[in-house]
Amino acid sequence: MDRIYLNQLEVLEPMAEGVEEAMAASVNMDADSLQNIVEATRNQLNKLFHGPGAESVVFTSGVEAALDMVIRGLFKDGDHILISSMENDAVLNALENIGHETDKGISGGVEYTRIPCNEKGQLIFFDPLKGEKGFEALEKLIRPNTKAIIVNHGSEVSGTILQVKEIGEFARRHGLLMIVNVAQTAGCVPIFMNIWGVDVLTFSGSRGLFASEKIGGFQASERVRALLGGPDMRKKFEQDPLDIAAIAGLHKAFEFIEEKTLHTLSRGGQKRVEQFIRKVQHVNGVRIIGPGYKDRIPVISIQVDFMEEKELEEALREEYGIIICSGLQQAAEAHKALGTYPRGTARFALNYYTTEEDIDKVTQALWQLTVSSDKVSDIKRMPKE
């Protein structure tokens, strides 16, 4: 049985061509060559993110470590932060380690308030039913001690691309720091750190960058560099020793990204998402979570009427060789915002290597599973295109 791997957010498979070889070859390289690779990779990341300069890129052991370092490094007792309701467990755990959610009857520490999202996973800026406009709903969440906004650029649950450009405008208006996690979107959609006014951007070397998850990091604006140690920021926060092999692999992966071009990779992912939604939405008993294909990265979650999502994951793997991920995807709070908690979803994480034939086989498998089920399907609620 041929295998179709659609769990690219959990474990990237395959990495870009030549990445594993580059990682292995780094073991025998001299110190100067390795340093050149490290600095070249900083430049590649800065160029991809349209950032403030390669010197502001800090490498860590992964994106989770980067998020934890940034949050611990920037905020202190008495500070208040706004976060999107689509944040993953890494952000929530970091915040809970130094504080708590507002209105919990707890004193001390860093407080955080969630920005509500709609059923598509998009941030709610205003409520037209209350006669609100612009950012009025968001304005009401601001406090005198509010210091920053944290936003997950792309949801690992629904695939929703959140409105970072608009949040940047709001943050500048109120003098707030803006922290954006692009672990899911880097390499999938264009990112403009300088134009959007992002102060900290956290990333993973895996997923859309086609390298190892053992390398990640963050890039900081000039004002955040000053807050995090100025010229000593890298010395203070960077992984020591650096995972040279993982960085060498990421450096090689950029050759693939540059050869294919970000436009081609982005368009290819959107095309596969469109094919998935157009075909799977006609399968009885399937509900696609989140927006239509135009406003998401190549990540699609579904719920089905004919079996539990864990059962679906197992049936697809054992009967059809299709590998996916079911459950809460380390983002329980995002599931609550989407209305899929505690049940969770079956998630299909696609990428450049996913083919139209793969999508056809997924559609056929879902059809066969719903036909063989003795459960009656409910009316579907599908996203509009």
Side-chain angles (χ1 to χ4, degrees), residues 155-174:
S155 169
E156 53 270 273
V157 177
S158 61
T160 309
I161 300 174
L162 275 70
Q163 311 98 303
V164 168
K165 180 180 178 182
E166 291 80 1
I167 284 291
E169 176 188 337
F170 178 81
R172 287 192 298 273
R173 184 183 303 176
H174 291 275

Side-chain angles (χ1 to χ4, degrees), residues 249-260:
L250 179 57
H251 177 62
K252 184 66 177 180
F254 268 105
E255 291 184 15
F256 168 81
I257 295 170
E258 290 164 3
E259 176 190 348
K260 299 299 180 184

Side-chain angles (χ1 to χ4, degrees), residues 35-191:
Q35 185 61 34
N36 289 338
I37 285 177
V38 171
E39 297 310 316
T41 308
R42 293 191 208 274
N43 278 293
Q44 289 169 320
L45 287 162
N46 179 67
K47 180 180 177 181
L48 179 68
F49 299 145
H50 297 87
E55 70 280 359
S56 65
V57 175
V58 175
F59 288 116
T60 67
S61 59
V63 66
E64 292 83 3
L67 284 164
D68 187 70
M69 287 178 181
V70 166
I71 289 171
R72 287 177 180 273
L74 287 177
F75 307 115
K76 62 183 185 303
D77 285 5
D79 288 343
H80 175 247
I81 306 169
L82 298 178
I83 68 171
S84 81
S85 293
M86 300 304 291
E87 297 309 304
N88 56 35
D89 291 353
V91 170
L92 272 299
N93 290 340
L95 289 171
E96 287 293 328
N97 284 335
I98 62 172
H100 54 87
E101 191 169 4
T102 52
D103 303 323
K104 292 292 184 180
I106 305 172
S107 60
V110 175
E111 291 187 312
Y112 65 92
T113 301
R114 303 170 200 266
I115 303 170
C117 292
N118 61 25
E119 62 180 7
K120 295 181 179 180
Q122 299 160 332
L123 296 169
I124 298 174
F125 296 145
F126 63 92
D127 185 348
L129 296 179
K130 296 180 180 178
E132 295 177 342
K133 297 180 181 179
F135 294 105
E136 285 190 53
L138 208 51
E139 301 273 0
K140 295 177 181 178
L141 302 178
I142 294 286
R143 297 183 174 196
N145 58 334
T146 303
K147 303 296 183 181
I149 302 180
I150 300 176
V151 178
N152 190 7
H153 191 198
S155 169
E156 53 270 273
V157 177
S158 61
T160 309
I161 300 174
L162 275 70
Q163 311 98 303
V164 168
K165 180 180 178 182
E166 291 80 1
I167 284 291
E169 176 188 337
F170 178 81
R172 287 192 298 273
R173 184 183 303 176
H174 291 275
L176 305 177
L177 296 177
M178 180 166 143
I179 301 169
V180 180
N181 179 19
V182 299
Q184 277 65 249
T185 54
C188 296
V189 298
I191 294 168

Side-chain angles (χ1 to χ4, degrees), residues 87-380:
E87 297 309 304
N88 56 35
D89 291 353
V91 170
L92 272 299
N93 290 340
L95 289 171
E96 287 293 328
N97 284 335
I98 62 172
H100 54 87
E101 191 169 4
T102 52
D103 303 323
K104 292 292 184 180
I106 305 172
S107 60
V110 175
E111 291 187 312
Y112 65 92
T113 301
R114 303 170 200 266
I115 303 170
C117 292
N118 61 25
E119 62 180 7
K120 295 181 179 180
Q122 299 160 332
L123 296 169
I124 298 174
F125 296 145
F126 63 92
D127 185 348
L129 296 179
K130 296 180 180 178
E132 295 177 342
K133 297 180 181 179
F135 294 105
E136 285 190 53
L138 208 51
E139 301 273 0
K140 295 177 181 178
L141 302 178
I142 294 286
R143 297 183 174 196
N145 58 334
T146 303
K147 303 296 183 181
I149 302 180
I150 300 176
V151 178
N152 190 7
H153 191 198
S155 169
E156 53 270 273
V157 177
S158 61
T160 309
I161 300 174
L162 275 70
Q163 311 98 303
V164 168
K165 180 180 178 182
E166 291 80 1
I167 284 291
E169 176 188 337
F170 178 81
R172 287 192 298 273
R173 184 183 303 176
H174 291 275
L176 305 177
L177 296 177
M178 180 166 143
I179 301 169
V180 180
N181 179 19
V182 299
Q184 277 65 249
T185 54
C188 296
V189 298
I191 294 168
F192 300 96
M193 184 175 177
N194 282 339
I195 295 174
W196 293 341
V198 178
D199 289 288
V200 182
L201 182 151
T202 59
F203 63 89
S204 168
S206 188
R207 305 165 194 179
L209 296 186
F210 294 97
S212 172
E213 75 281 355
K214 293 181 180 180
I215 196 68
F218 66 88
Q219 185 165 18
S221 68
E222 185 175 346
R223 67 169 172 168
V224 164
R225 289 204 300 274
L227 294 172
L228 293 180
D232 295 325
M233 180 184 72
R234 285 215 318 239
K235 183 178 180 181
K236 183 177 179 181
F237 291 97
E238 192 155 73
Q239 182 184 20
D240 185 22
L242 288 173
D243 190 331
I244 297 295
I247 294 175
L250 179 57
H251 177 62
K252 184 66 177 180
F254 268 105
E255 291 184 15
F256 168 81
I257 295 170
E258 290 164 3
E259 176 190 348
K260 299 299 180 184
T261 76
L262 181 59
H263 174 77
T264 299
L265 294 172
S266 177
R267 182 69 191 98
Q270 187 180 41
K271 186 175 181 180
R272 292 292 170 259
V273 167
E274 179 179 350
Q275 291 166 348
F276 188 105
I277 291 178
R278 286 189 181 277
K279 293 178 179 182
V280 172
Q281 68 182 340
H282 298 295
V283 180
N284 290 332
V286 173
R287 176 194 171 204
I288 297 179
I289 308 301
Y293 58 82
K294 295 180 181 179
D295 302 304
R296 69 163 80 217
I297 54 175
V299 174
I300 305 167
S301 273
I302 68 172
Q303 288 185 331
V304 298
D305 295 337
F306 45 88
M307 60 177 59
E308 295 295 323
E309 278 62 45
K310 184 62 176 178
E311 292 179 87
L312 177 62
E313 177 189 353
E314 294 172 353
L316 288 173
R317 181 182 67 249
E318 295 172 7
E319 299 176 34
Y320 302 94
I322 299 170
I323 312 301
I324 66 166
C325 173
S326 67
L328 298 177
Q329 292 96 25
Q330 297 182 329
E333 297 304 317
H335 279 279
K336 291 178 182 178
L338 292 164
T340 53
Y341 184 89
R343 177 175 167 181
T345 61
R347 184 185 69 192
F348 299 77
L350 325 176
N351 69 7
Y352 174 81
Y353 294 107
T354 306
T355 66
E356 185 172 5
E357 182 181 15
D358 293 337
I359 304 303
D360 287 339
K361 289 181 178 178
V362 169
T363 306
Q364 183 179 21
L366 290 172
W367 270 115
Q368 291 175 350
L369 288 171
T370 188
V371 168
S372 63
S373 173
D374 57 0
K375 294 183 180 180
V376 179
S377 298
D378 294 331
I379 297 175
K380 296 176 299 181

